[in-house]
Amino acid sequence: MFSINSECILSKKSEDIPPFYVMEVLESAQALEAEGRHIIHLEVGEPDFPTAPHICEAACAAISRGATKYTHSQGLLSLREAIVESYHQKFGVDLSPDQVIITSGTSPALLMVFMALLEKMDEVIMSNPYYACYPNFVKYLGGTPVFVYTSEKNGFALEPETVRQCLSPNTKAILINSPSNPSGHVMSPESLKGLAEIADEKGIPIISDEIYQGLIYDGDDHTILEYTRNAFVLNGFSKLYAMTGWRLGYIICPPECVRAIQKIHQNFFICANSFVQEAAIAALKGPQEYIAEMVQTYNTRRQYMLKRLIEMGFEVRKEPMGAFYVLADARKYCSDSLALSRRILNEAGVAVTPGIDFGNGAEGYLRFSYANSIENIKEGMDRLEAFLQKELEG
Ligand SMILES: Cc1ncc(COP(=O)(O)O)c(C=O)c1O
């Protein structure tokens, strides 16, 4: 039988790309579940809330009336108008629907922005810890991630002065993510303003991943667009609207750059799912009160989880203010976060994400997601506590 020699046919970059460990932890947890084990999921950043009924109904209605064809490559005009309206309402910024490109999730949006910007050797400045996929996108496209190591003492904040020190003639973009995954840090208006000043002074765009916008428990919500127009904003419906599986995101980009990204989109993706776009219009234009309730529920879970983690000996030097994660220092127990997370999964039946997924700046840390019910979080914390007690006794 013919068998493929993968070493000969796969590109070096496809061999070199690291796995997305959180997905590997999830898949290992699912394998244990298939064997009959009961696992508490605190690894994945996926809201446990169902997508709201009015959003689901809008998708079904769209399918029923035959909205099952390709849309404009930039996405439905009515959805782009709704996005522009929501940025205006929340932040007072005036945008044009022509600046918006609807994508099948924020992940393809990130890919296309990097594809549009990067030449070989171009540098992208980003914090470390970072969202796991960022450097992988940049490296895959021949660019170089330049890391700014942030300190836990100030919540892993990315400060403009440190970014300034990393600028080089090769700097192509500055990547920010607020509220942040994995730290939950929310950037202050001063930091955003400072970074915007660098962008405008040097003509270097900011890529701002705002996917956790609205998930804030302390401080205010902002967009980089309040401070500069030299920015590519990425956002999506996965987190705030509990729509991870629907795969819908968008890019707001400077008008001069739309055409380049539109061409990439046409070639590689054609357009985002038509009826999912219709559902997203319902998400933006429909009732919003239930979102405030979800945020309140996340906040209760955040406080509970923080309390339990600190009581059992994890260090959290600054409280996370947004998203739905706690990045806790576990170095007291183990410096190899991947090994520790595997043991916690296998021995305690709790899935958590190893800090190393988010860069060497988070090695020795574990990321806990509180996008799960308070009952499950409680059970997860109890199991973890029992595991650590055994560990300390042993
Ligand atoms: C910071 C950040 N950006 C982007 C994404 C990808 O989101 P999407 O589901 O829209 O592809 C995630 C998902 O966890 C994320 O945490």
Side-chain angles (χ1 to χ4, degrees):
M1 204 175 55
F2 177 77
S3 74
I4 285 176
N5 180 349
S6 63
E7 274 176 36
C8 295
I9 62 159
L10 292 177
S11 67
K12 182 163 171 358
K13 56 188 181 183
S14 74
E15 299 252 304
D16 287 350
I17 192 165
F20 191 6
Y21 285 110
V22 64
M23 295 310 290
E24 307 239 295
V25 174
L26 174 65
E27 285 152 23
S28 304
Q30 286 167 338
L32 290 175
E33 284 170 327
E35 288 167 15
R37 287 277 305 273
H38 181 262
I39 305 294
I40 298 287
H41 290 273
L42 303 179
E43 79 285 39
V44 72
E46 174 158 70
D48 58 313
F49 297 104
T51 304
H54 66 279
I55 300 176
C56 300
E57 282 155 19
C60 294
I63 294 173
S64 300
R65 67 165 189 275
T68 54
K69 310 286 184 196
Y70 293 137
T71 67
H72 188 286
S73 59
Q74 275 188 250
L76 295 174
L77 179 60
S78 43
L79 174 56
R80 290 185 276 131
E81 283 170 346
I83 289 168
V84 163
E85 176 59 23
S86 89
Y87 266 74
H88 179 75
Q89 268 180 11
K90 287 186 196 159
F91 308 111
V93 294
D94 289 319
L95 302 164
S96 157
D98 296 340
Q99 284 176 262
V100 182
I101 300 169
I102 310 295
T103 58
S104 296
T106 309
S107 310
L110 271 162
L111 177 66
M112 287 193 294
V113 169
F114 286 128
M115 284 172 90
L117 292 182
L118 294 184
E119 302 280 5
K120 263 204 165 67
M121 313 302 286
D122 279 348
E123 295 176 354
V124 179
I125 298 176
M126 64 185 77
S127 64
N128 188 333
Y130 46 72
Y131 170 58
C133 308
Y134 292 154
N136 301 338
F137 279 122
V138 172
K139 285 192 220 156
Y140 203 87
L141 295 168
T144 308
V146 172
F147 297 123
V148 177
Y149 285 89
T150 53
S151 155
E152 196 196 341
K153 275 195 293 254
N154 55 355
F156 298 103
L158 181 66
E159 299 298 356
E161 310 80 67
T162 16
V163 168
R164 217 173 254 283
Q165 287 159 19
C166 293
L167 293 170
S168 88
N170 292 335
T171 307
K172 197 58 178 284
I174 300 164
L175 175 56
I176 62 173
N177 171 218
S178 174
S180 143
N181 176 8
S183 71
H185 180 69
V186 177
M187 290 179 82
S188 67
E190 294 72 37
S191 295
L192 290 170
K193 197 159 168 258
L195 288 174
E197 278 165 14
I198 298 177
D200 291 343
E201 186 187 313
K202 306 281 180 191
I204 296 169
I206 294 189
I207 302 173
S208 178
D209 182 346
E210 303 185 356
I211 190 165
Y212 292 98
Q213 204 176 69
L215 294 168
I216 298 217
Y217 319 104
D218 188 4
D220 296 322
D221 225 352
H222 290 281
T223 170
I224 192 68
L225 294 170
E226 291 169 64
Y227 308 97
T228 179
R229 291 307 163 98
N230 189 7
F232 294 81
V233 165
L234 306 154
N235 207 333
F237 294 82
S238 288
K239 312 293 176 172
L240 189 63
Y241 292 97
M243 291 175 68
T244 41
W246 297 70
R247 312 304 305 129
L248 203 71
Y250 55 91
I251 309 168
I252 303 172
C253 63
E256 309 75 23
C257 303
V258 172
R259 182 71 184 138
I261 299 181
Q262 183 190 11
K263 284 188 295 171
I264 295 172
H265 200 218
Q266 288 170 344
N267 275 282
F268 294 117
F269 301 101
I270 301 186
C271 66
N273 298 358
S274 51
F275 47 88
V276 174
Q277 295 187 52
E278 302 271 2
I281 297 171
L284 289 173
K285 296 200 147 183
Q288 302 294 309
E289 299 74 34
Y290 77 100
I291 303 229
E293 283 166 29
M294 286 198 290
V295 172
Q296 188 47 49
T297 306
Y298 286 132
N299 194 20
T300 307
R301 298 168 178 180
R302 174 184 76 113
Q303 286 161 342
Y304 176 78
M305 184 182 259
L306 271 170
K307 184 170 163 293
R308 290 292 307 268
L309 288 172
I310 291 166
E311 276 169 7
M312 61 181 105
F314 288 100
E315 300 246 24
V316 183
R317 293 176 187 89
K318 192 161 186 289
E319 283 193 6
M321 303 143 78
F324 31 59
Y325 308 108
V326 180
L327 186 62
D329 187 347
R331 284 174 294 182
K332 186 165 152 189
Y333 301 109
C334 181
S335 54
D336 179 344
S337 59
L338 187 57
L340 181 59
S341 70
R342 282 193 181 130
R343 286 198 56 207
I344 295 173
L345 176 62
N346 290 316
E347 294 171 39
V350 183
V352 300
T353 309
I356 193 64
D357 209 11
F358 311 104
N360 53 1
E363 178 53 312
Y365 288 68
L366 294 174
R367 190 198 71 175
F368 298 87
S369 162
Y370 46 88
N372 204 336
S373 70
I374 195 83
E375 295 75 24
N376 282 340
I377 294 173
K378 183 174 180 314
E379 174 64 20
M381 293 295 109
D382 289 348
R383 290 186 191 183
L384 189 62
E385 191 165 32
F387 168 84
L388 292 176
Q389 247 153 27
K390 241 181 40 203
E391 194 67 358
L392 289 177
E393 281 159 18

PDB file of all heavy atoms in Angstrom, residues 50-78:
ATOM      1  N   PRO A  50     -25.918  29.316  26.640  1.00  0.00           N
ATOM      2  CA  PRO A  50     -26.329  29.033  25.259  1.00  0.00           C
ATOM      3  C   PRO A  50     -26.444  30.348  24.489  1.00  0.00           C
ATOM      4  O   PRO A  50     -26.610  31.408  25.093  1.00  0.00           O
ATOM      5  CB  PRO A  50     -27.714  28.390  25.436  1.00  0.00           C
ATOM      6  CG  PRO A  50     -28.219  28.894  26.753  1.00  0.00           C
ATOM      7  CD  PRO A  50     -27.015  29.173  27.614  1.00  0.00           C
ATOM      8  N   THR A  51     -26.355  30.258  23.175  1.00  0.00           N
ATOM      9  CA  THR A  51     -26.629  31.453  22.355  1.00  0.00           C
ATOM     10  C   THR A  51     -28.092  31.835  22.570  1.00  0.00           C
ATOM     11  O   THR A  51     -28.970  30.961  22.619  1.00  0.00           O
ATOM     12  CB  THR A  51     -26.376  31.127  20.874  1.00  0.00           C
ATOM     13  OG1 THR A  51     -25.049  30.644  20.733  1.00  0.00           O
ATOM     14  CG2 THR A  51     -26.542  32.375  20.007  1.00  0.00           C
ATOM     15  N   ALA A  52     -28.347  33.145  22.709  1.00  0.00           N
ATOM     16  CA  ALA A  52     -29.706  33.605  23.038  1.00  0.00           C
ATOM     17  C   ALA A  52     -30.719  33.154  21.973  1.00  0.00           C
ATOM     18  O   ALA A  52     -30.389  33.125  20.777  1.00  0.00           O
ATOM     19  CB  ALA A  52     -29.718  35.130  23.156  1.00  0.00           C
ATOM     20  N   PRO A  53     -31.959  32.838  22.406  1.00  0.00           N
ATOM     21  CA  PRO A  53     -32.959  32.304  21.469  1.00  0.00           C
ATOM     22  C   PRO A  53     -33.221  33.221  20.277  1.00  0.00           C
ATOM     23  O   PRO A  53     -33.374  32.740  19.155  1.00  0.00           O
ATOM     24  CB  PRO A  53     -34.227  32.163  22.329  1.00  0.00           C
ATOM     25  CG  PRO A  53     -33.766  32.214  23.741  1.00  0.00           C
ATOM     26  CD  PRO A  53     -32.445  32.878  23.789  1.00  0.00           C
ATOM     27  N   HIS A  54     -33.247  34.552  20.493  1.00  0.00           N
ATOM     28  CA  HIS A  54     -33.583  35.431  19.352  1.00  0.00           C
ATOM     29  C   HIS A  54     -32.501  35.373  18.269  1.00  0.00           C
ATOM     30  O   HIS A  54     -32.782  35.572  17.094  1.00  0.00           O
ATOM     31  CB  HIS A  54     -33.850  36.877  19.814  1.00  0.00           C
ATOM     32  CG  HIS A  54     -32.649  37.581  20.389  1.00  0.00           C
ATOM     33  ND1 HIS A  54     -32.217  37.406  21.669  1.00  0.00           N
ATOM     34  CD2 HIS A  54     -31.777  38.447  19.817  1.00  0.00           C
ATOM     35  CE1 HIS A  54     -31.149  38.147  21.891  1.00  0.00           C
ATOM     36  NE2 HIS A  54     -30.852  38.786  20.772  1.00  0.00           N
ATOM     37  N   ILE A  55     -31.277  35.044  18.684  1.00  0.00           N
ATOM     38  CA  ILE A  55     -30.185  34.938  17.699  1.00  0.00           C
ATOM     39  C   ILE A  55     -30.362  33.639  16.898  1.00  0.00           C
ATOM     40  O   ILE A  55     -30.273  33.623  15.665  1.00  0.00           O
ATOM     41  CB  ILE A  55     -28.808  34.977  18.411  1.00  0.00           C
ATOM     42  CG1 ILE A  55     -28.662  36.293  19.186  1.00  0.00           C
ATOM     43  CG2 ILE A  55     -27.677  34.778  17.409  1.00  0.00           C
ATOM     44  CD1 ILE A  55     -27.382  36.408  20.007  1.00  0.00           C
ATOM     45  N   CYS A  56     -30.670  32.557  17.624  1.00  0.00           N
ATOM     46  CA  CYS A  56     -30.880  31.255  16.953  1.00  0.00           C
ATOM     47  C   CYS A  56     -32.068  31.349  15.997  1.00  0.00           C
ATOM     48  O   CYS A  56     -32.006  30.847  14.860  1.00  0.00           O
ATOM     49  CB  CYS A  56     -31.134  30.157  17.982  1.00  0.00           C
ATOM     50  SG  CYS A  56     -29.777  29.949  19.144  1.00  0.00           S
ATOM     51  N   GLU A  57     -33.136  32.020  16.465  1.00  0.00           N
ATOM     52  CA  GLU A  57     -34.339  32.140  15.615  1.00  0.00           C
ATOM     53  C   GLU A  57     -34.027  32.922  14.343  1.00  0.00           C
ATOM     54  O   GLU A  57     -34.505  32.580  13.256  1.00  0.00           O
ATOM     55  CB  GLU A  57     -35.468  32.828  16.399  1.00  0.00           C
ATOM     56  CG  GLU A  57     -36.151  31.878  17.365  1.00  0.00           C
ATOM     57  CD  GLU A  57     -36.817  32.598  18.537  1.00  0.00           C
ATOM     58  OE1 GLU A  57     -37.071  33.828  18.426  1.00  0.00           O
ATOM     59  OE2 GLU A  57     -37.064  31.940  19.567  1.00  0.00           O
ATOM     60  N   ALA A  58     -33.218  33.960  14.476  1.00  0.00           N
ATOM     61  CA  ALA A  58     -32.875  34.767  13.282  1.00  0.00           C
ATOM     62  C   ALA A  58     -32.106  33.911  12.272  1.00  0.00           C
ATOM     63  O   ALA A  58     -32.326  34.033  11.056  1.00  0.00           O
ATOM     64  CB  ALA A  58     -32.040  35.983  13.691  1.00  0.00           C
ATOM     65  N   ALA A  59     -31.238  33.020  12.754  1.00  0.00           N
ATOM     66  CA  ALA A  59     -30.486  32.149  11.834  1.00  0.00           C
ATOM     67  C   ALA A  59     -31.453  31.185  11.136  1.00  0.00           C
ATOM     68  O   ALA A  59     -31.383  31.002   9.915  1.00  0.00           O
ATOM     69  CB  ALA A  59     -29.411  31.377  12.599  1.00  0.00           C
ATOM     70  N   CYS A  60     -32.378  30.597  11.913  1.00  0.00           N
ATOM     71  CA  CYS A  60     -33.333  29.637  11.322  1.00  0.00           C
ATOM     72  C   CYS A  60     -34.212  30.335  10.300  1.00  0.00           C
ATOM     73  O   CYS A  60     -34.460  29.804   9.207  1.00  0.00           O
ATOM     74  CB  CYS A  60     -34.206  29.017  12.413  1.00  0.00           C
ATOM     75  SG  CYS A  60     -33.263  27.992  13.539  1.00  0.00           S
ATOM     76  N   ALA A  61     -34.677  31.552  10.669  1.00  0.00           N
ATOM     77  CA  ALA A  61     -35.543  32.298   9.736  1.00  0.00           C
ATOM     78  C   ALA A  61     -34.773  32.608   8.454  1.00  0.00           C
ATOM     79  O   ALA A  61     -35.333  32.520   7.351  1.00  0.00           O
ATOM     80  CB  ALA A  61     -36.035  33.581  10.405  1.00  0.00           C
ATOM     81  N   ALA A  62     -33.503  32.937   8.591  1.00  0.00           N
ATOM     82  CA  ALA A  62     -32.692  33.273   7.403  1.00  0.00           C
ATOM     83  C   ALA A  62     -32.562  32.050   6.498  1.00  0.00           C
ATOM     84  O   ALA A  62     -32.714  32.149   5.273  1.00  0.00           O
ATOM     85  CB  ALA A  62     -31.323  33.791   7.834  1.00  0.00           C
ATOM     86  N   ILE A  63     -32.327  30.897   7.108  1.00  0.00           N
ATOM     87  CA  ILE A  63     -32.218  29.662   6.307  1.00  0.00           C
ATOM     88  C   ILE A  63     -33.552  29.386   5.610  1.00  0.00           C
ATOM     89  O   ILE A  63     -33.588  29.105   4.413  1.00  0.00           O
ATOM     90  CB  ILE A  63     -31.797  28.464   7.201  1.00  0.00           C
ATOM     91  CG1 ILE A  63     -30.382  28.667   7.734  1.00  0.00           C
ATOM     92  CG2 ILE A  63     -31.888  27.145   6.414  1.00  0.00           C
ATOM     93  CD1 ILE A  63     -29.937  27.647   8.748  1.00  0.00           C
ATOM     94  N   SER A  64     -34.658  29.535   6.376  1.00  0.00           N
ATOM     95  CA  SER A  64     -35.981  29.239   5.811  1.00  0.00           C
ATOM     96  C   SER A  64     -36.300  30.127   4.617  1.00  0.00           C
ATOM     97  O   SER A  64     -36.963  29.702   3.676  1.00  0.00           O
ATOM     98  CB  SER A  64     -37.072  29.425   6.864  1.00  0.00           C
ATOM     99  OG  SER A  64     -36.820  28.571   7.923  1.00  0.00           O
ATOM    100  N   ARG A  65     -35.848  31.380   4.675  1.00  0.00           N
ATOM    101  CA  ARG A  65     -36.201  32.242   3.524  1.00  0.00           C
ATOM    102  C   ARG A  65     -35.115  32.205   2.447  1.00  0.00           C
ATOM    103  O   ARG A  65     -35.143  32.983   1.486  1.00  0.00           O
ATOM    104  CB  ARG A  65     -36.538  33.660   3.978  1.00  0.00           C
ATOM    105  CG  ARG A  65     -35.438  34.474   4.550  1.00  0.00           C
ATOM    106  CD  ARG A  65     -35.788  35.973   4.637  1.00  0.00           C
ATOM    107  NE  ARG A  65     -34.570  36.662   5.004  1.00  0.00           N
ATOM    108  CZ  ARG A  65     -34.152  36.813   6.246  1.00  0.00           C
ATOM    109  NH1 ARG A  65     -34.865  36.351   7.252  1.00  0.00           N
ATOM    110  NH2 ARG A  65     -33.002  37.430   6.485  1.00  0.00           N
ATOM    111  N   GLY A  66     -34.191  31.279   2.588  1.00  0.00           N
ATOM    112  CA  GLY A  66     -33.247  31.030   1.496  1.00  0.00           C
ATOM    113  C   GLY A  66     -31.991  31.879   1.523  1.00  0.00           C
ATOM    114  O   GLY A  66     -31.297  32.001   0.512  1.00  0.00           O
ATOM    115  N   ALA A  67     -31.678  32.442   2.696  1.00  0.00           N
ATOM    116  CA  ALA A  67     -30.433  33.237   2.796  1.00  0.00           C
ATOM    117  C   ALA A  67     -29.255  32.283   2.981  1.00  0.00           C
ATOM    118  O   ALA A  67     -28.582  32.278   4.021  1.00  0.00           O
ATOM    119  CB  ALA A  67     -30.536  34.229   3.952  1.00  0.00           C
ATOM    120  N   THR A  68     -29.041  31.469   1.977  1.00  0.00           N
ATOM    121  CA  THR A  68     -28.035  30.408   2.092  1.00  0.00           C
ATOM    122  C   THR A  68     -26.993  30.518   0.973  1.00  0.00           C
ATOM    123  O   THR A  68     -26.345  29.541   0.619  1.00  0.00           O
ATOM    124  CB  THR A  68     -28.721  29.027   2.010  1.00  0.00           C
ATOM    125  OG1 THR A  68     -29.504  29.001   0.813  1.00  0.00           O
ATOM    126  CG2 THR A  68     -29.611  28.758   3.198  1.00  0.00           C
ATOM    127  N   LYS A  69     -26.858  31.724   0.437  1.00  0.00           N
ATOM    128  CA  LYS A  69     -25.935  31.915  -0.700  1.00  0.00           C
ATOM    129  C   LYS A  69     -24.729  32.746  -0.247  1.00  0.00           C
ATOM    130  O   LYS A  69     -24.708  33.273   0.853  1.00  0.00           O
ATOM    131  CB  LYS A  69     -26.653  32.664  -1.828  1.00  0.00           C
ATOM    132  CG  LYS A  69     -28.001  32.087  -2.203  1.00  0.00           C
ATOM    133  CD  LYS A  69     -27.860  30.804  -2.972  1.00  0.00           C
ATOM    134  CE  LYS A  69     -29.219  30.296  -3.418  1.00  0.00           C
ATOM    135  NZ  LYS A  69     -29.207  28.927  -3.838  1.00  0.00           N
ATOM    136  N   TYR A  70     -23.781  32.887  -1.164  1.00  0.00           N
ATOM    137  CA  TYR A  70     -22.658  33.790  -0.869  1.00  0.00           C
ATOM    138  C   TYR A  70     -23.194  35.185  -0.588  1.00  0.00           C
ATOM    139  O   TYR A  70     -24.188  35.608  -1.173  1.00  0.00           O
ATOM    140  CB  TYR A  70     -21.742  33.931  -2.095  1.00  0.00           C
ATOM    141  CG  TYR A  70     -20.968  32.695  -2.505  1.00  0.00           C
ATOM    142  CD1 TYR A  70     -20.869  32.363  -3.857  1.00  0.00           C
ATOM    143  CD2 TYR A  70     -20.315  31.909  -1.572  1.00  0.00           C
ATOM    144  CE1 TYR A  70     -20.130  31.258  -4.268  1.00  0.00           C
ATOM    145  CE2 TYR A  70     -19.578  30.795  -1.982  1.00  0.00           C
ATOM    146  CZ  TYR A  70     -19.494  30.470  -3.327  1.00  0.00           C
ATOM    147  OH  TYR A  70     -18.776  29.396  -3.728  1.00  0.00           O
ATOM    148  N   THR A  71     -22.484  35.901   0.280  1.00  0.00           N
ATOM    149  CA  THR A  71     -22.806  37.333   0.440  1.00  0.00           C
ATOM    150  C   THR A  71     -21.668  38.141  -0.189  1.00  0.00           C
ATOM    151  O   THR A  71     -20.686  37.565  -0.678  1.00  0.00           O
ATOM    152  CB  THR A  71     -22.904  37.730   1.933  1.00  0.00           C
ATOM    153  OG1 THR A  71     -21.599  37.637   2.531  1.00  0.00           O
ATOM    154  CG2 THR A  71     -23.880  36.845   2.691  1.00  0.00           C
ATOM    155  N   HIS A  72     -21.768  39.443  -0.124  1.00  0.00           N
ATOM    156  CA  HIS A  72     -20.670  40.327  -0.521  1.00  0.00           C
ATOM    157  C   HIS A  72     -19.424  39.889   0.253  1.00  0.00           C
ATOM    158  O   HIS A  72     -19.527  39.474   1.414  1.00  0.00           O
ATOM    159  CB  HIS A  72     -21.061  41.766  -0.157  1.00  0.00           C
ATOM    160  CG  HIS A  72     -20.128  42.810  -0.680  1.00  0.00           C
ATOM    161  ND1 HIS A  72     -18.878  43.040  -0.145  1.00  0.00           N
ATOM    162  CD2 HIS A  72     -20.263  43.697  -1.698  1.00  0.00           C
ATOM    163  CE1 HIS A  72     -18.291  44.016  -0.806  1.00  0.00           C
ATOM    164  NE2 HIS A  72     -19.102  44.431  -1.764  1.00  0.00           N
ATOM    165  N   SER A  73     -18.255  39.975  -0.359  1.00  0.00           N
ATOM    166  CA  SER A  73     -17.048  39.479   0.323  1.00  0.00           C
ATOM    167  C   SER A  73     -16.749  40.262   1.602  1.00  0.00           C
ATOM    168  O   SER A  73     -16.118  39.748   2.517  1.00  0.00           O
ATOM    169  CB  SER A  73     -15.843  39.505  -0.622  1.00  0.00           C
ATOM    170  OG  SER A  73     -15.620  40.823  -1.066  1.00  0.00           O
ATOM    171  N   GLN A  74     -17.217  41.497   1.682  1.00  0.00           N
ATOM    172  CA  GLN A  74     -17.011  42.251   2.933  1.00  0.00           C
ATOM    173  C   GLN A  74     -18.091  41.924   3.963  1.00  0.00           C
ATOM    174  O   GLN A  74     -17.988  42.349   5.114  1.00  0.00           O
ATOM    175  CB  GLN A  74     -17.052  43.755   2.655  1.00  0.00           C
ATOM    176  CG  GLN A  74     -15.708  44.311   2.208  1.00  0.00           C
ATOM    177  CD  GLN A  74     -15.737  45.826   2.123  1.00  0.00           C
ATOM    178  OE1 GLN A  74     -15.686  46.381   1.041  1.00  0.00           O
ATOM    179  NE2 GLN A  74     -15.821  46.506   3.254  1.00  0.00           N
ATOM    180  N   GLY A  75     -19.118  41.221   3.550  1.00  0.00           N
ATOM    181  CA  GLY A  75     -20.211  40.880   4.466  1.00  0.00           C
ATOM    182  C   GLY A  75     -21.443  41.700   4.160  1.00  0.00           C
ATOM    183  O   GLY A  75     -21.396  42.679   3.392  1.00  0.00           O
ATOM    184  N   LEU A  76     -22.580  41.313   4.757  1.00  0.00           N
ATOM    185  CA  LEU A  76     -23.847  42.011   4.524  1.00  0.00           C
ATOM    186  C   LEU A  76     -23.722  43.474   4.974  1.00  0.00           C
ATOM    187  O   LEU A  76     -23.238  43.742   6.087  1.00  0.00           O
ATOM    188  CB  LEU A  76     -24.974  41.355   5.332  1.00  0.00           C
ATOM    189  CG  LEU A  76     -25.362  39.924   4.963  1.00  0.00           C
ATOM    190  CD1 LEU A  76     -26.389  39.390   5.966  1.00  0.00           C
ATOM    191  CD2 LEU A  76     -25.914  39.887   3.540  1.00  0.00           C
ATOM    192  N   LEU A  77     -24.199  44.368   4.123  1.00  0.00           N
ATOM    193  CA  LEU A  77     -24.125  45.790   4.468  1.00  0.00           C
ATOM    194  C   LEU A  77     -24.869  46.062   5.779  1.00  0.00           C
ATOM    195  O   LEU A  77     -24.399  46.818   6.633  1.00  0.00           O
ATOM    196  CB  LEU A  77     -24.702  46.634   3.317  1.00  0.00           C
ATOM    197  CG  LEU A  77     -24.712  48.136   3.552  1.00  0.00           C
ATOM    198  CD1 LEU A  77     -23.291  48.678   3.785  1.00  0.00           C
ATOM    199  CD2 LEU A  77     -25.368  48.871   2.381  1.00  0.00           C
ATOM    200  N   SER A  78     -26.033  45.405   5.957  1.00  0.00           N
ATOM    201  CA  SER A  78     -26.819  45.679   7.174  1.00  0.00           C
ATOM    202  C   SER A  78     -26.067  45.240   8.436  1.00  0.00           C
ATOM    203  O   SER A  78     -26.174  45.875   9.481  1.00  0.00           O
ATOM    204  CB  SER A  78     -28.184  45.004   7.097  1.00  0.00           C
ATOM    205  OG  SER A  78     -28.042  43.704   6.586  1.00  0.00           O
TER     206      SER A  78
END
